[in-house]
Amino acid sequence: MNEYDSDRIKNALDAEPTDDPGSADIIIINTCAIREKADQKAFSSLGKYKTLKANDPDKIVGISGCVAQLYGDQLLKKMPHIDFVLGPRAIPKLPAIISEIEREKRKTVETSYDIEELFEIEPYHQEGKVTAFVSVQQGCNKRCTYCIVPRVRGSEVNRPLEDILRETTNLVNKGVREITFIGQTVNSWKENGYKFRDLLRAAGDIEDLDRIRFTTSYPRDITKKMIDAMSDVPQICHHLHLPVQSGSDKVLGGMKRTYTREWYVDTVKRLKDAMPDIAISTDIIIGFPGETDKDFEQTMSLMREIEFESSFSFKFSPRPGTVAAEYAAEDAVDPEVASERLYELQAYQKEITSTKNKNRVGFIEDVLVEGESKNDPEFLSGRTDHNRILNFKGPKDLVGKTVKVKVTEGLLNSLRGELVV
Ligand code: 5AD
C-alpha cells in the first residue's frame, strides 16, 4: 500500500526522481504508522534532512502518509524544517500544495479525509515493468482493536469498477502482465451493485492480462461466490494472503476479528476443496494484551494444522487511540516473553517454508519472468503461481513472458530451476 502511494506521489509531482537528497528540490518522506517501529523510523529519516534544509532553505521537505495523518501539525512544531504534512488520502492535493509553498513560502498541513478526487492520481509506472498494483479501495471499515488504519486512512471508499478496469487495461497496454488489486480488506470491495467476485471475473476478461492477484483479504468476507470466481478464472493465481492474527478464540475476540479459529480453519478447507493446490500465507500478532502461554500454544497448533506457505509475524505494538492500547495499559505481555514466542513461531515457519520449497523440486512451474535476478544478473527471476520466487538461466527476451521452469533446488526464500524448452 505504501509503495503504491509512493509511486502515486512520484506521479503527482511529475518530477525527475533522484537517489541523492542533496541535489533534490523536493524531499518527501512517505511513512507508515502500523507499528511503533515504523513510526519511529519516520522521525529518524526526517531528522536526517535538517542540515540539508538549513543549508538550502529553498529545498522543500515534506512528510506524507499515516504518520503525517496521525500527528498532523504537531510535526511542524516538533520539526520546524518541515514545509508540509500530507495525509494518505490527500495525495491528489500534492501538486497544489507544492506550488503554494513555492509561491507563498507558507507551511501547510493537509489531513482532511474528505478528498473528492481520492483515486485521481494513478501511480508512476516504470517502463518495462511486468507487474503492477491497482488500488481498488482506500480506508477500512473493520474495527480490529489493535489497528490504527481506520483512524489514519479513514473509512472504506471503493473505487468504481470501470475505473479499475480502465487503469488495469492501460497498464496491460504498456506491457504489464500481472496485476495485484490492493485494498485494506480487498475482498470487501463492493460498488454500485457489483461485488468483489464480479471485479475478479471482469478482470479475467481483459485481454493479455496473464495473472491476477489481490491483497489483503479479510477472512470473514471470503464467500462461496468469491471462491468460485477464483477457481473459475484461470488468470487468478492460487495464492491467498489471509491474515489470521491468532489461533486463540479468546485473543481473536479481544482483537474483534469477528471469526473463530474453527471458522477460519473451515474457510481454509473450503478454499482447498475448490483449489487443492492453493498456497495460503498469513499475518500473526504475538503478545496481544492478555495472551497467555496457552493462547500462544493455540496459535502454534494452528500453524501446525494449516502449515502456511509463509507468514509475517509481529510483536503487538500499542497504537495511539486504539482500544487494544488501553488493554495493554493493564494487561501487557512481558516483552521478553513476547520475543521468545515470536522467535519460536518464526523458527517454525522457516522450517515449514523451507520444507515446502524443497518439496517443489521436480515440479514444472509456470513462471512470469519479471527481470534479472537481483543477486545474480546471470539468472532471470520470476514468480510461480503460488508467489514463490524462482530463478533460472535463460535469454533476456523472456522478460514479460510466462514460461515453464523445472524446479531443481528449494531454498528458504526462493527456488532455483531450469527452463523447460
Ligand atoms: N501491532 C502489531 N502488529 C500489527 N499489525 C497491525 N496492527 C498491529 C499492531 N498494533 C499487523 C497485522 C496486520 C499487519 C499488516 O500488521 O498482523 O495484518
Side-chain angles (χ1 to χ4, degrees), residues 34-35 146-147 243 245 283-285 314-319:
I34 195 102
R35 286 170 295 275
Y146 51 81
C147 190
Q245 312 297 5
D283 289 346
I284 302 279
I285 297 177
F314 316 96
K315 247 203 270 186
F316 170 76
S317 165
R319 306 311 291 128

Side-chain angles (χ1 to χ4, degrees), residues 104-352:
E104 297 175 23
K105 305 270 174 240
R106 192 154 45 92
K107 294 186 187 280
T108 309
V109 178
E110 177 51 270
T111 49
S112 69
Y113 295 99
D114 262 341
I115 307 283
E116 266 174 38
E117 49 303 63
L118 203 52
F119 292 97
E120 203 158 84
I121 305 265
E122 294 180 358
Y124 165 84
H125 177 73
Q126 197 189 335
E127 212 187 297
K129 202 155 178 263
V130 176
T131 60
F133 294 123
V134 171
S135 167
V136 305
Q137 174 187 69
Q138 290 196 44
C140 185
N141 279 355
K142 311 297 180 201
R143 288 295 171 262
C144 306
T145 56
Y146 51 81
C147 190
I148 199 160
V149 167
R151 172 165 172 201
V152 287
R153 287 191 177 265
S155 51
E156 183 182 299
V157 180
N158 291 302
R159 190 178 189 188
L161 180 72
E162 308 75 59
D163 293 1
I164 299 169
L165 298 178
R166 182 189 34 76
E167 184 179 347
T168 306
T169 308
N170 286 346
L171 286 162
V172 171
N173 291 340
K174 288 182 188 164
V176 167
R177 291 292 167 263
E178 176 185 302
I179 288 290
T180 304
F181 291 136
I182 55 170
Q184 296 296 336
T185 57
V186 71
N187 58 326
S188 325
W189 181 91
K190 54 176 188 297
E191 211 276 331
N192 199 19
Y194 296 113
K195 299 266 177 68
F196 187 61
R197 57 184 181 255
D198 303 314
L199 170 59
L200 291 180
R201 288 189 189 273
D205 291 336
I206 297 177
E207 217 171 302
D208 293 330
L209 175 58
D210 295 339
R211 278 183 168 179
I212 302 163
R213 300 185 191 274
F214 50 88
T215 199
T216 295
S217 292
Y218 184 71
R220 267 301 283 268
D221 291 326
I222 304 270
T223 59
K224 173 163 188 323
K225 288 184 175 158
M226 172 189 161
I227 298 176
D228 289 346
M230 281 185 80
S231 55
D232 288 351
V233 178
Q235 298 96 316
I236 298 180
C237 293
H238 284 185
H239 166 240
L240 192 67
H241 187 62
L242 198 61
V244 63
Q245 312 297 5
S246 172
S248 149
D249 282 343
K250 188 193 92 194
V251 174
L252 288 171
M255 292 174 165
K256 285 223 169 10
R257 285 293 283 178
T258 70
Y259 53 83
T260 59
R261 173 202 177 112
E262 189 186 354
W263 189 92
Y264 183 93
V265 169
D266 184 60
T267 300
V268 170
K269 183 177 173 302
R270 288 191 290 134
L271 285 157
K272 287 189 173 167
D273 285 347
M275 292 162 277
D277 67 320
I278 194 168
I280 314 264
S281 56
T282 202
D283 289 346
I284 302 279
I285 297 177
I286 294 292
F288 184 80
E291 183 191 72
T292 60
D293 282 343
K294 204 169 135 225
D295 294 317
F296 174 64
E297 183 40 48
Q298 281 165 2
T299 298
M300 285 304 295
S301 88
L302 181 77
M303 302 299 282
R304 289 190 289 268
E305 184 171 351
I306 298 198
E307 294 196 342
F308 293 102
E309 226 68 21
S310 64
S311 63
F312 297 102
S313 42
F314 316 96
K315 247 203 270 186
F316 170 76
S317 165
R319 306 311 291 128
T322 59
V323 175
E326 289 169 32
Y327 300 161
E330 301 188 347
D331 223 357
V333 172
D334 177 344
E336 262 179 45
V337 171
S339 297
E340 279 164 22
R341 289 177 186 162
L342 187 66
Y343 182 84
E344 183 182 335
L345 182 130
Q346 291 182 341
Y348 177 73
Q349 183 62 59
K350 267 190 195 161
E351 226 176 83
I352 294 297

Side-chain angles (χ1 to χ4, degrees), residues 31 52 75 81 85 94 106 147 187 221-222 286 321 333 370 380 394 404:
T31 59
L52 279 182
L75 287 165
H81 64 290
V85 175
L94 185 57
R106 192 154 45 92
C147 190
N187 58 326
D221 291 326
I222 304 270
I286 294 292
V333 172
E370 293 178 20
L380 292 175
K404 298 223 176 278

